[in-house]
Amino acid sequence: MSRPSVDNAQGLLKEISSALAQQTVKPEPSVMTMLDTAVLMTFGFSTELSVFVQLKSIGALNPAAMSAALCNLISLLPAGCAVAHEAWVVCSPLR
């Protein structure tokens, strides 16, 4: 996330963890989430506030459903956290 910080980052990570557990049909204790802020990045030739999400999983993934669910979660970030561009979720299975 290019934003310098996020209010209630632990709460956000818990929401993401819950969403990932549902989408991967895995017990939440086996889900790990990480949030990096103040990351320099561009999207569409712009340095506007943006978020990059990468998902790795052992087992089957449904990229379309996961992307929709995670993009929806990101779009619900509190005021001041919203991103200017469409969020993209990259789903790549672990090999």
Side-chain angles (χ1 to χ4, degrees):
M1 177 179 289
S2 61
R3 184 175 174 80
S5 64
V6 176
D7 293 337
N8 193 18
Q10 288 183 355
L12 175 60
L13 284 173
K14 287 179 181 180
E15 288 184 52
I16 293 169
S17 177
S18 177
L20 287 174
Q22 289 177 344
Q23 289 295 317
T24 58
V25 193
K26 293 186 179 191
E28 195 165 350
S30 67
V31 173
M32 182 178 83
T33 59
M34 180 176 71
L35 175 66
D36 283 334
T37 57
V39 177
L40 297 176
M41 67 177 90
T42 62
F43 181 73
F45 303 110
S46 174
T47 57
E48 295 279 331
L49 183 62
S50 57
V51 174
F52 174 77
V53 176
Q54 184 175 26
L55 174 62
K56 295 184 179 184
S57 177
I58 297 172
L61 295 177
N62 183 338
M66 290 178 180
S67 180
L70 294 175
C71 288
N72 183 54
L73 181 62
I74 290 167
S75 73
L76 298 176
L77 288 172
C81 290
V83 296
H85 298 292
E86 178 181 357
W88 291 89
V89 178
V90 177
C91 298
S92 54
L94 273 176
R95 300 265 183 239

